[in-house]
Amino acid sequence: MTSLWLDRTEPFSLPVDAEQSWNERGRYDTVVVGGGLTGLVTGLLLARSGQRVAVVEARTLGAVTTGNTTGKVSILQGTRLAEIARRHATHTLRSYVEGNLEGQQWLIRYCHERDIPVGIAPDFTYAQTSSGAESVQAQYAACRAAGLSARLVSDLDIPVPNAGAVTLDDQAYIDPMPVLQALARDILSHGGTVFERRRVTGARSVPKSQVLTTDHGDIRADRVVLATGIPILDRGGFFARLSPERSYAAAFDIPGGAPDAMYLSADQPTRSLRPAADGTKLLVGGNGHEVGRTDSAQGAVDDLISWTTQYFPGTTLTHRWSAQDYSSLDKLPYVGPLVPGQEGILVATGFAKWGMTNAVSAALVLSARILGGHIRWADAFHSWSPHQVFDVTAAAKLNGSVAVHLASGWGGALLGRRTADDPAPSARVIREGLVPVGEHTKDGHTERVCVVCPHLGGVLKWNDAEETWDCPLHGSRFASDGKVLEGPSTHDLRRVT
Ligand SMILES: Cc1cc2nc3c(=O)[nH]c(=O)nc-3n(C[C@H](O)[C@H](O)[C@H](O)COP(=O)(O)OP(=O)(O)OC[C@H]3O[C@@H](n4cnc5c(N)ncnc54)[C@H](O)[C@@H]3O)c2cc1C
């Protein structure tokens, strides 16, 4: 499954000298781990200020979430503002909105400066049924409390079931890949370095600096920024404060053009719509769930496609894909030190599928923190503020469900039950001694791997849409040959012969 954005005729490649300089540089001011939107904007802000910066990406730029986003650069954000308003004081909500506005404006300005197309359109959060109408009202109230000039509308001009909406004018949408490529080029032109296909596997503090271990040897820096989605280092225990959520998207050619606006349902099942490719395509998203906790990912994709062809007859599917993002316990992003009081390693995560603005806001906060600046709205972007750390009920709920999946995965594996509820007979889990072994057969070739997650020991579940092994605990994912793809794990699965 390849996204509309990653399916390009001319793949972007970094200049060869960036590759060569890996061993030539001794030490960096900052190493940013992760070549998505967060890592590259952070890298550029630091390189522009004269820092010696390296961005280290395990796969290729945008390969994980940024290249698989739906690319709405919106402040409306579904029902997000209402969720924040329910848990936090109005001044925190306002700080969140102010930070996102600054992130949005930074990104749009950057695109304009680089001649990267930006679509501008109203965004709608709409109710599909009368029960969703309450969420729409709450979102409207939160928008007004945050000082946004949102409006209520009773009817939508699109052929899907709807029962009213809240709307905000002049929001934006982008193709993320030209943005990432321009950011990488700009980092290089400011003397920074960007490395692809180098996975960071660990970090240790030595006096006044950090040593990162990678699959290509060590690299040293005064400071490290983990812009890896979920942090790859367990110190700080962010895996226990984040919920990994996977969702699906598809692009369609649409005769007569796509509606010239963005839409997101307030109620379930989630439906997200936006135009793409100058309005010749309709992009549809939704059907999210926690990673590794669905019986059939393929079923979720098929459902999205059949919903689209039902309400937009004549559309032709061109792309389908899926991706995951991380939601924090208390609905605000985590941006700041990995461990309280220690500035050597910083993190940025918890964007809850609103990273097009939040990634840039996080980069602004992190670069100000490193360079010694002050940002007025940064109180909504903390990694360790008291309200985030002590939300005991939410933490118990999140980690309770992790424990249930840990126990049920191992229970199934030890009883010799198949733990993949696979409608596709090509994949199954069998027990060899005490080891659950995943077998996947394709074109007559069988891959066998130990399906115990190297992160914290969850038993992996087969993803029939992407042919991957996914962890229901903290969202690590692996190819069928065991190669780590994303999530907190930094190690591959053990191959079994
Ligand atoms: C289906 C979906 C739709 C979305 N739609 C929207 C939208 O419309 N609007 C919006 O605002 N947001 C949206 N989002 C959210 C947004 O796309 C993300 O929040 C944002 O892209 C996150 O960027 P990032 O740079 O933090 O993470 P990523 O893009 O995931 O980048 C992290 C990078 O770190 C690398 N990495 C990980 N581990 C290592 C390691 N050990 N060593 C080296 N590198 C490593 C990864 O390979 C990856 O490239 C959506 C998310 C999903 C899942």
mmCIF file of all heavy atoms in Angstrom, residues 33-39 56-60 62-66 68-73 198-200 227-229 232 245 247-248 323-325 348 351 353-357 359 485 487 490, ligand 1:
data_model
loop_
_atom_site.group_PDB
_atom_site.id
_atom_site.type_symbol
_atom_site.label_atom_id
_atom_site.label_comp_id
_atom_site.label_asym_id
_atom_site.label_seq_id
_atom_site.Cartn_x
_atom_site.Cartn_y
_atom_site.Cartn_z
ATOM 1 N N VAL A 33 16.920 12.872 15.607
ATOM 2 C CA VAL A 33 16.628 11.515 15.140
ATOM 3 C C VAL A 33 15.219 11.524 14.558
ATOM 4 O O VAL A 33 14.253 11.813 15.267
ATOM 5 C CB VAL A 33 16.720 10.496 16.293
ATOM 6 C CG1 VAL A 33 16.601 9.072 15.750
ATOM 7 C CG2 VAL A 33 18.037 10.658 17.049
ATOM 8 N N GLY A 34 15.101 11.227 13.258
ATOM 9 C CA GLY A 34 13.788 11.194 12.612
ATOM 10 C C GLY A 34 13.673 12.217 11.503
ATOM 11 O O GLY A 34 13.822 13.421 11.739
ATOM 12 N N GLY A 35 13.407 11.727 10.293
ATOM 13 C CA GLY A 35 13.289 12.617 9.133
ATOM 14 C C GLY A 35 11.859 12.764 8.657
ATOM 15 O O GLY A 35 11.558 12.631 7.479
ATOM 16 N N GLY A 36 10.950 13.037 9.604
ATOM 17 C CA GLY A 36 9.587 13.435 9.260
ATOM 18 C C GLY A 36 9.505 14.959 9.397
ATOM 19 O O GLY A 36 10.531 15.653 9.478
ATOM 20 N N LEU A 37 8.271 15.474 9.454
ATOM 21 C CA LEU A 37 8.109 16.935 9.514
ATOM 22 C C LEU A 37 8.737 17.515 10.778
ATOM 23 O O LEU A 37 9.425 18.542 10.733
ATOM 24 C CB LEU A 37 6.617 17.288 9.443
ATOM 25 C CG LEU A 37 6.289 18.772 9.286
ATOM 26 C CD1 LEU A 37 6.897 19.348 8.007
ATOM 27 C CD2 LEU A 37 4.781 19.009 9.285
ATOM 28 N N THR A 38 8.551 16.845 11.923
ATOM 29 C CA THR A 38 9.091 17.375 13.183
ATOM 30 C C THR A 38 10.610 17.484 13.119
ATOM 31 O O THR A 38 11.193 18.527 13.453
ATOM 32 C CB THR A 38 8.727 16.444 14.360
ATOM 33 O OG1 THR A 38 7.337 16.164 14.308
ATOM 34 C CG2 THR A 38 9.073 17.068 15.695
ATOM 35 N N GLY A 39 11.258 16.398 12.703
ATOM 36 C CA GLY A 39 12.718 16.360 12.705
ATOM 37 C C GLY A 39 13.319 17.351 11.718
ATOM 38 O O GLY A 39 14.303 18.035 12.036
ATOM 39 N N VAL A 56 19.133 12.228 11.423
ATOM 40 C CA VAL A 56 19.407 10.813 11.153
ATOM 41 C C VAL A 56 18.069 10.087 11.012
ATOM 42 O O VAL A 56 17.278 10.039 11.958
ATOM 43 C CB VAL A 56 20.231 10.183 12.301
ATOM 44 C CG1 VAL A 56 20.534 8.724 11.991
ATOM 45 C CG2 VAL A 56 21.528 10.956 12.509
ATOM 46 N N GLU A 57 17.828 9.528 9.844
ATOM 47 C CA GLU A 57 16.542 8.886 9.543
ATOM 48 C C GLU A 57 16.757 7.386 9.281
ATOM 49 O O GLU A 57 17.611 7.008 8.486
ATOM 50 C CB GLU A 57 15.906 9.580 8.328
ATOM 51 C CG GLU A 57 14.792 8.811 7.646
ATOM 52 C CD GLU A 57 13.630 8.429 8.565
ATOM 53 O OE1 GLU A 57 13.185 9.270 9.355
ATOM 54 O OE2 GLU A 57 13.190 7.253 8.498
ATOM 55 N N ALA A 58 15.964 6.552 9.946
ATOM 56 C CA ALA A 58 16.151 5.095 9.828
ATOM 57 C C ALA A 58 15.772 4.567 8.453
ATOM 58 O O ALA A 58 16.380 3.620 7.961
ATOM 59 C CB ALA A 58 15.299 4.386 10.881
ATOM 60 N N ARG A 59 14.774 5.181 7.838
ATOM 61 C CA ARG A 59 14.304 4.666 6.534
ATOM 62 C C ARG A 59 14.595 5.740 5.482
ATOM 63 O O ARG A 59 15.741 6.057 5.241
ATOM 64 C CB ARG A 59 12.829 4.290 6.638
ATOM 65 C CG ARG A 59 12.641 3.114 7.619
ATOM 66 C CD ARG A 59 11.189 2.811 7.922
ATOM 67 N NE ARG A 59 10.448 2.401 6.756
ATOM 68 C CZ ARG A 59 9.140 2.140 6.746
ATOM 69 N NH1 ARG A 59 8.449 2.235 7.884
ATOM 70 N NH2 ARG A 59 8.522 1.780 5.653
ATOM 71 N N THR A 60 13.576 6.316 4.885
ATOM 72 C CA THR A 60 13.786 7.453 3.980
ATOM 73 C C THR A 60 12.892 8.590 4.483
ATOM 74 O O THR A 60 11.948 8.350 5.236
ATOM 75 C CB THR A 60 13.411 7.087 2.530
ATOM 76 O OG1 THR A 60 12.090 6.541 2.540
ATOM 77 C CG2 THR A 60 14.383 6.082 1.936
ATOM 78 N N GLY A 62 10.140 10.945 5.338
ATOM 79 C CA GLY A 62 8.681 10.852 5.195
ATOM 80 C C GLY A 62 8.136 9.439 5.105
ATOM 81 O O GLY A 62 6.931 9.249 4.916
ATOM 82 N N ALA A 63 8.993 8.419 5.277
ATOM 83 C CA ALA A 63 8.547 7.032 5.033
ATOM 84 C C ALA A 63 7.496 6.561 6.028
ATOM 85 O O ALA A 63 6.738 5.635 5.745
ATOM 86 C CB ALA A 63 9.742 6.087 5.092
ATOM 87 N N VAL A 64 7.435 7.177 7.198
ATOM 88 C CA VAL A 64 6.552 6.625 8.232
ATOM 89 C C VAL A 64 5.232 7.414 8.272
ATOM 90 O O VAL A 64 4.352 7.160 7.463
ATOM 91 C CB VAL A 64 7.299 6.526 9.580
ATOM 92 C CG1 VAL A 64 6.373 6.054 10.691
ATOM 93 C CG2 VAL A 64 8.422 5.499 9.418
ATOM 94 N N THR A 65 5.080 8.408 9.117
ATOM 95 C CA THR A 65 3.749 9.040 9.214
ATOM 96 C C THR A 65 3.604 10.247 8.283
ATOM 97 O O THR A 65 2.575 10.394 7.617
ATOM 98 C CB THR A 65 3.455 9.441 10.673
ATOM 99 O OG1 THR A 65 3.673 8.303 11.497
ATOM 100 C CG2 THR A 65 2.008 9.862 10.842
ATOM 101 N N THR A 66 4.645 11.090 8.193
ATOM 102 C CA THR A 66 4.456 12.318 7.414
ATOM 103 C C THR A 66 4.148 12.024 5.941
ATOM 104 O O THR A 66 3.317 12.701 5.332
ATOM 105 C CB THR A 66 5.689 13.235 7.536
ATOM 106 O OG1 THR A 66 5.917 13.510 8.923
ATOM 107 C CG2 THR A 66 5.478 14.546 6.804
ATOM 108 N N ASN A 68 2.525 9.626 4.873
ATOM 109 C CA ASN A 68 1.265 8.865 4.804
ATOM 110 C C ASN A 68 0.118 9.599 5.485
ATOM 111 O O ASN A 68 -0.887 9.005 5.861
ATOM 112 C CB ASN A 68 1.459 7.494 5.452
ATOM 113 C CG ASN A 68 2.383 6.625 4.631
ATOM 114 O OD1 ASN A 68 2.014 6.199 3.539
ATOM 115 N ND2 ASN A 68 3.593 6.394 5.099
ATOM 116 N N THR A 69 0.292 10.897 5.662
ATOM 117 C CA THR A 69 -0.716 11.724 6.310
ATOM 118 C C THR A 69 -1.866 11.999 5.335
ATOM 119 O O THR A 69 -1.770 11.655 4.153
ATOM 120 C CB THR A 69 -0.041 13.057 6.719
ATOM 121 O OG1 THR A 69 -0.978 13.882 7.375
ATOM 122 C CG2 THR A 69 0.501 13.814 5.518
ATOM 123 N N THR A 70 -2.923 12.683 5.829
ATOM 124 C CA THR A 70 -3.880 13.228 4.870
ATOM 125 C C THR A 70 -3.600 14.714 4.617
ATOM 126 O O THR A 70 -4.279 15.336 3.813
ATOM 127 C CB THR A 70 -5.348 12.998 5.294
ATOM 128 O OG1 THR A 70 -5.466 13.257 6.685
ATOM 129 C CG2 THR A 70 -5.772 11.573 5.059
ATOM 130 N N GLY A 71 -2.633 15.275 5.329
ATOM 131 C CA GLY A 71 -2.087 16.580 4.944
ATOM 132 C C GLY A 71 -2.977 17.794 5.126
ATOM 133 O O GLY A 71 -2.773 18.820 4.476
ATOM 134 N N LYS A 72 -3.952 17.733 6.053
ATOM 135 C CA LYS A 72 -4.747 18.935 6.346
ATOM 136 C C LYS A 72 -3.955 19.794 7.323
ATOM 137 O O LYS A 72 -3.496 19.282 8.355
ATOM 138 C CB LYS A 72 -6.078 18.553 6.999
ATOM 139 C CG LYS A 72 -7.008 17.754 6.107
ATOM 140 C CD LYS A 72 -8.240 17.346 6.916
ATOM 141 C CE LYS A 72 -9.240 16.587 6.069
ATOM 142 N NZ LYS A 72 -10.354 16.055 6.897
ATOM 143 N N VAL A 73 -3.808 21.051 6.980
ATOM 144 C CA VAL A 73 -3.052 21.954 7.865
ATOM 145 C C VAL A 73 -4.093 22.871 8.502
ATOM 146 O O VAL A 73 -4.262 24.028 8.121
ATOM 147 C CB VAL A 73 -2.000 22.745 7.063
ATOM 148 C CG1 VAL A 73 -1.068 23.511 7.999
ATOM 149 C CG2 VAL A 73 -1.184 21.805 6.177
ATOM 150 N N ARG A 198 19.847 5.054 8.386
ATOM 151 C CA ARG A 198 20.688 4.816 9.566
ATOM 152 C C ARG A 198 19.768 4.803 10.784
ATOM 153 O O ARG A 198 19.150 5.821 11.094
ATOM 154 C CB ARG A 198 21.738 5.920 9.729
ATOM 155 C CG ARG A 198 22.943 5.687 8.830
ATOM 156 C CD ARG A 198 23.626 6.975 8.496
ATOM 157 N NE ARG A 198 24.859 6.778 7.765
ATOM 158 C CZ ARG A 198 24.951 6.394 6.488
ATOM 159 N NH1 ARG A 198 23.859 6.112 5.811
ATOM 160 N NH2 ARG A 198 26.124 6.275 5.897
ATOM 161 N N ARG A 199 19.694 3.641 11.424
ATOM 162 C CA ARG A 199 18.772 3.522 12.561
ATOM 163 C C ARG A 199 19.513 3.722 13.863
ATOM 164 O O ARG A 199 20.530 3.066 14.113
ATOM 165 C CB ARG A 199 18.069 2.156 12.547
ATOM 166 C CG ARG A 199 16.988 2.026 13.624
ATOM 167 C CD ARG A 199 16.139 0.779 13.442
ATOM 168 N NE ARG A 199 15.283 0.823 12.275
ATOM 169 C CZ ARG A 199 14.108 1.444 12.216
ATOM 170 N NH1 ARG A 199 13.644 2.085 13.282
ATOM 171 N NH2 ARG A 199 13.399 1.440 11.112
ATOM 172 N N VAL A 200 19.011 4.633 14.681
ATOM 173 C CA VAL A 200 19.568 4.831 16.024
ATOM 174 C C VAL A 200 19.039 3.706 16.907
ATOM 175 O O VAL A 200 17.837 3.434 16.930
ATOM 176 C CB VAL A 200 19.175 6.220 16.574
ATOM 177 C CG1 VAL A 200 19.592 6.358 18.024
ATOM 178 C CG2 VAL A 200 19.794 7.320 15.716
ATOM 179 N N ALA A 227 12.738 12.868 17.326
ATOM 180 C CA ALA A 227 11.538 13.220 16.548
ATOM 181 C C ALA A 227 11.107 11.971 15.804
ATOM 182 O O ALA A 227 10.974 11.956 14.581
ATOM 183 C CB ALA A 227 11.865 14.362 15.588
ATOM 184 N N THR A 228 10.899 10.896 16.565
ATOM 185 C CA THR A 228 10.703 9.558 15.994
ATOM 186 C C THR A 228 9.250 9.092 16.084
ATOM 187 O O THR A 228 8.978 7.893 16.066
ATOM 188 C CB THR A 228 11.590 8.541 16.751
ATOM 189 O OG1 THR A 228 11.346 8.684 18.165
ATOM 190 C CG2 THR A 228 13.061 8.780 16.486
ATOM 191 N N GLY A 229 8.291 10.007 16.167
ATOM 192 C CA GLY A 229 6.936 9.584 16.512
ATOM 193 C C GLY A 229 6.974 9.250 17.995
ATOM 194 O O GLY A 229 7.302 10.102 18.821
ATOM 195 N N ILE A 232 12.035 6.509 20.927
ATOM 196 C CA ILE A 232 12.626 5.168 20.818
ATOM 197 C C ILE A 232 13.408 4.779 22.065
ATOM 198 O O ILE A 232 13.902 3.662 22.152
ATOM 199 C CB ILE A 232 13.558 5.075 19.589
ATOM 200 C CG1 ILE A 232 14.538 6.250 19.615
ATOM 201 C CG2 ILE A 232 12.776 4.999 18.301
ATOM 202 C CD1 ILE A 232 15.763 6.041 18.800
ATOM 203 N N GLU A 245 -2.296 4.917 17.345
ATOM 204 C CA GLU A 245 -3.548 4.712 16.606
ATOM 205 C C GLU A 245 -3.296 4.665 15.112
ATOM 206 O O GLU A 245 -2.687 5.573 14.556
ATOM 207 C CB GLU A 245 -4.539 5.831 16.940
ATOM 208 C CG GLU A 245 -5.117 5.631 18.320
ATOM 209 C CD GLU A 245 -5.687 6.894 18.942
ATOM 210 O OE1 GLU A 245 -5.931 7.853 18.170
ATOM 211 O OE2 GLU A 245 -5.852 6.913 20.171
ATOM 212 N N SER A 247 -4.698 4.433 11.210
ATOM 213 C CA SER A 247 -5.913 4.626 10.415
ATOM 214 C C SER A 247 -5.597 4.591 8.932
ATOM 215 O O SER A 247 -4.442 4.481 8.530
ATOM 216 C CB SER A 247 -6.687 5.863 10.833
ATOM 217 O OG SER A 247 -5.868 6.964 10.883
ATOM 218 N N TYR A 248 -6.627 4.686 8.141
ATOM 219 C CA TYR A 248 -6.576 4.302 6.726
ATOM 220 C C TYR A 248 -6.936 5.479 5.834
ATOM 221 O O TYR A 248 -7.696 6.359 6.234
ATOM 222 C CB TYR A 248 -7.547 3.131 6.485
ATOM 223 C CG TYR A 248 -7.168 1.971 7.377
ATOM 224 C CD1 TYR A 248 -7.624 1.905 8.703
ATOM 225 C CD2 TYR A 248 -6.276 1.000 6.945
ATOM 226 C CE1 TYR A 248 -7.223 0.891 9.551
ATOM 227 C CE2 TYR A 248 -5.868 -0.024 7.792
ATOM 228 C CZ TYR A 248 -6.347 -0.069 9.091
ATOM 229 O OH TYR A 248 -5.928 -1.061 9.934
ATOM 230 N N ALA A 323 -1.433 4.462 8.178
ATOM 231 C CA ALA A 323 -0.336 5.029 8.969
ATOM 232 C C ALA A 323 -0.797 5.146 10.408
ATOM 233 O O ALA A 323 -1.976 4.946 10.712
ATOM 234 C CB ALA A 323 0.041 6.408 8.435
ATOM 235 N N GLN A 324 0.153 5.452 11.300
ATOM 236 C CA GLN A 324 -0.228 5.603 12.707
ATOM 237 C C GLN A 324 0.370 6.862 13.318
ATOM 238 O O GLN A 324 1.388 7.376 12.857
ATOM 239 C CB GLN A 324 0.184 4.382 13.521
ATOM 240 C CG GLN A 324 1.674 4.204 13.717
ATOM 241 C CD GLN A 324 2.001 2.775 14.134
ATOM 242 O OE1 GLN A 324 1.459 1.811 13.572
ATOM 243 N NE2 GLN A 324 2.881 2.608 15.105
ATOM 244 N N ASP A 325 -0.333 7.337 14.337
ATOM 245 C CA ASP A 325 0.157 8.480 15.095
ATOM 246 C C ASP A 325 -0.158 8.208 16.566
ATOM 247 O O ASP A 325 -0.863 7.247 16.885
ATOM 248 C CB ASP A 325 -0.509 9.774 14.604
ATOM 249 C CG ASP A 325 0.363 11.004 14.862
ATOM 250 O OD1 ASP A 325 1.524 10.842 15.284
ATOM 251 O OD2 ASP A 325 -0.119 12.132 14.654
ATOM 252 N N ALA A 348 9.519 14.971 21.019
ATOM 253 C CA ALA A 348 8.312 15.656 20.505
ATOM 254 C C ALA A 348 7.379 14.570 19.993
ATOM 255 O O ALA A 348 7.713 13.852 19.052
ATOM 256 C CB ALA A 348 8.672 16.607 19.376
ATOM 257 N N PHE A 351 0.922 13.984 18.794
ATOM 258 C CA PHE A 351 0.217 14.961 17.945
ATOM 259 C C PHE A 351 -1.188 14.503 17.572
ATOM 260 O O PHE A 351 -1.953 15.273 16.994
ATOM 261 C CB PHE A 351 1.016 15.242 16.676
ATOM 262 C CG PHE A 351 2.423 15.746 16.937
ATOM 263 C CD1 PHE A 351 3.442 15.503 16.030
ATOM 264 C CD2 PHE A 351 2.723 16.459 18.089
ATOM 265 C CE1 PHE A 351 4.734 15.963 16.260
ATOM 266 C CE2 PHE A 351 4.012 16.925 18.339
ATOM 267 C CZ PHE A 351 5.017 16.671 17.424
ATOM 268 N N LYS A 353 -2.699 12.792 15.314
ATOM 269 C CA LYS A 353 -3.137 12.974 13.916
ATOM 270 C C LYS A 353 -3.345 14.438 13.554
ATOM 271 O O LYS A 353 -4.071 14.749 12.613
ATOM 272 C CB LYS A 353 -4.396 12.148 13.607
ATOM 273 C CG LYS A 353 -4.142 10.660 13.736
ATOM 274 C CD LYS A 353 -5.348 9.855 13.314
ATOM 275 C CE LYS A 353 -5.350 8.504 14.021
ATOM 276 N NZ LYS A 353 -6.666 7.918 14.091
ATOM 277 N N TRP A 354 -2.711 15.334 14.312
ATOM 278 C CA TRP A 354 -2.733 16.758 13.946
ATOM 279 C C TRP A 354 -1.318 17.317 13.926
ATOM 280 O O TRP A 354 -1.030 18.408 14.412
ATOM 281 C CB TRP A 354 -3.659 17.556 14.897
ATOM 282 C CG TRP A 354 -5.064 17.124 14.682
ATOM 283 C CD1 TRP A 354 -5.851 16.416 15.536
ATOM 284 C CD2 TRP A 354 -5.845 17.303 13.485
ATOM 285 N NE1 TRP A 354 -7.064 16.131 14.958
ATOM 286 C CE2 TRP A 354 -7.090 16.669 13.698
ATOM 287 C CE3 TRP A 354 -5.625 17.921 12.245
ATOM 288 C CZ2 TRP A 354 -8.102 16.629 12.736
ATOM 289 C CZ3 TRP A 354 -6.627 17.885 11.285
ATOM 290 C CH2 TRP A 354 -7.848 17.248 11.527
ATOM 291 N N GLY A 355 -0.415 16.546 13.303
ATOM 292 C CA GLY A 355 0.992 16.929 13.311
ATOM 293 C C GLY A 355 1.395 17.939 12.257
ATOM 294 O O GLY A 355 2.495 18.483 12.338
ATOM 295 N N MET A 356 0.539 18.198 11.264
ATOM 296 C CA MET A 356 0.968 19.163 10.243
ATOM 297 C C MET A 356 1.193 20.542 10.871
ATOM 298 O O MET A 356 2.081 21.281 10.469
ATOM 299 C CB MET A 356 -0.070 19.259 9.117
ATOM 300 C CG MET A 356 -0.201 18.011 8.276
ATOM 301 S SD MET A 356 1.289 17.584 7.340
ATOM 302 C CE MET A 356 1.936 16.234 8.317
ATOM 303 N N THR A 357 0.388 20.872 11.855
ATOM 304 C CA THR A 357 0.633 22.113 12.598
ATOM 305 C C THR A 357 1.470 21.836 13.851
ATOM 306 O O THR A 357 2.441 22.548 14.122
ATOM 307 C CB THR A 357 -0.699 22.765 13.020
ATOM 308 O OG1 THR A 357 -1.524 21.767 13.628
ATOM 309 C CG2 THR A 357 -1.410 23.382 11.827
ATOM 310 N N ALA A 359 3.673 19.535 14.598
ATOM 311 C CA ALA A 359 5.096 19.221 14.396
ATOM 312 C C ALA A 359 5.897 20.519 14.293
ATOM 313 O O ALA A 359 7.000 20.629 14.841
ATOM 314 C CB ALA A 359 5.280 18.395 13.123
ATOM 315 N N LEU A 485 9.852 -1.686 11.271
ATOM 316 C CA LEU A 485 9.358 -0.622 10.388
ATOM 317 C C LEU A 485 9.132 0.675 11.147
ATOM 318 O O LEU A 485 9.451 1.757 10.668
ATOM 319 C CB LEU A 485 8.031 -1.059 9.741
ATOM 320 C CG LEU A 485 8.121 -2.257 8.801
ATOM 321 C CD1 LEU A 485 6.727 -2.708 8.392
ATOM 322 C CD2 LEU A 485 8.943 -1.898 7.562
ATOM 323 N N GLY A 487 7.653 2.464 15.336
ATOM 324 C CA GLY A 487 7.271 2.242 16.730
ATOM 325 C C GLY A 487 8.487 2.295 17.634
ATOM 326 O O GLY A 487 9.586 2.600 17.182
ATOM 327 N N THR A 490 13.675 -0.769 18.400
ATOM 328 C CA THR A 490 14.787 -0.399 17.511
ATOM 329 C C THR A 490 15.436 -1.652 16.934
ATOM 330 O O THR A 490 16.449 -1.563 16.258
ATOM 331 C CB THR A 490 15.854 0.415 18.279
ATOM 332 O OG1 THR A 490 16.227 -0.313 19.442
ATOM 333 C CG2 THR A 490 15.330 1.776 18.678
HETATM 334 C C1 LIG B 1 -3.626 8.340 8.693
HETATM 335 C C2 LIG B 1 -3.130 9.662 9.247
HETATM 336 C C3 LIG B 1 -3.605 10.844 8.714
HETATM 337 C C4 LIG B 1 -3.145 12.067 9.231
HETATM 338 N N1 LIG B 1 -3.656 13.219 8.711
HETATM 339 C C5 LIG B 1 -3.277 14.388 9.247
HETATM 340 C C6 LIG B 1 -3.823 15.611 8.764
HETATM 341 O O1 LIG B 1 -4.642 15.625 7.848
HETATM 342 N N2 LIG B 1 -3.419 16.766 9.346
HETATM 343 C C7 LIG B 1 -2.515 16.779 10.380
HETATM 344 O O2 LIG B 1 -2.217 17.851 10.896
HETATM 345 N N3 LIG B 1 -1.955 15.636 10.828
HETATM 346 C C8 LIG B 1 -2.309 14.456 10.281
HETATM 347 N N4 LIG B 1 -1.759 13.308 10.734
HETATM 348 C C9 LIG B 1 -0.680 13.381 11.737
HETATM 349 C C10 LIG B 1 0.644 13.776 11.106
HETATM 350 O O3 LIG B 1 0.798 13.162 9.838
HETATM 351 C C11 LIG B 1 1.770 13.356 12.053
HETATM 352 O O4 LIG B 1 1.499 13.869 13.335
HETATM 353 C C12 LIG B 1 3.108 13.887 11.609
HETATM 354 O O5 LIG B 1 3.347 13.491 10.278
HETATM 355 C C13 LIG B 1 4.181 13.365 12.545
HETATM 356 O O6 LIG B 1 5.426 13.772 12.042
HETATM 357 P P1 LIG B 1 6.738 13.307 12.776
HETATM 358 O O7 LIG B 1 7.870 13.906 12.055
HETATM 359 O O8 LIG B 1 6.609 13.574 14.229
HETATM 360 O O9 LIG B 1 6.726 11.710 12.622
HETATM 361 P P2 LIG B 1 7.151 10.822 11.366
HETATM 362 O O10 LIG B 1 6.748 11.411 10.087
HETATM 363 O O11 LIG B 1 6.662 9.441 11.666
HETATM 364 O O12 LIG B 1 8.719 10.855 11.434
HETATM 365 C C14 LIG B 1 9.453 10.119 12.391
HETATM 366 C C15 LIG B 1 10.648 9.528 11.690
HETATM 367 O O13 LIG B 1 11.523 8.975 12.645
HETATM 368 C C16 LIG B 1 12.148 7.867 12.063
HETATM 369 N N5 LIG B 1 12.667 6.987 13.092
HETATM 370 C C17 LIG B 1 11.960 6.245 13.972
HETATM 371 N N6 LIG B 1 12.801 5.532 14.745
HETATM 372 C C18 LIG B 1 14.052 5.837 14.351
HETATM 373 C C19 LIG B 1 15.341 5.406 14.769
HETATM 374 N N7 LIG B 1 15.488 4.493 15.733
HETATM 375 N N8 LIG B 1 16.439 5.928 14.147
HETATM 376 C C20 LIG B 1 16.302 6.854 13.152
HETATM 377 N N9 LIG B 1 15.083 7.289 12.717
HETATM 378 C C21 LIG B 1 13.972 6.783 13.309
HETATM 379 C C22 LIG B 1 11.039 7.204 11.272
HETATM 380 O O14 LIG B 1 11.562 6.331 10.277
HETATM 381 C C23 LIG B 1 10.272 8.395 10.734
HETATM 382 O O15 LIG B 1 10.622 8.734 9.418
HETATM 383 C C24 LIG B 1 -2.195 12.083 10.258
HETATM 384 C C25 LIG B 1 -1.720 10.883 10.789
HETATM 385 C C26 LIG B 1 -2.184 9.688 10.297
HETATM 386 C C27 LIG B 1 -1.673 8.420 10.890
#
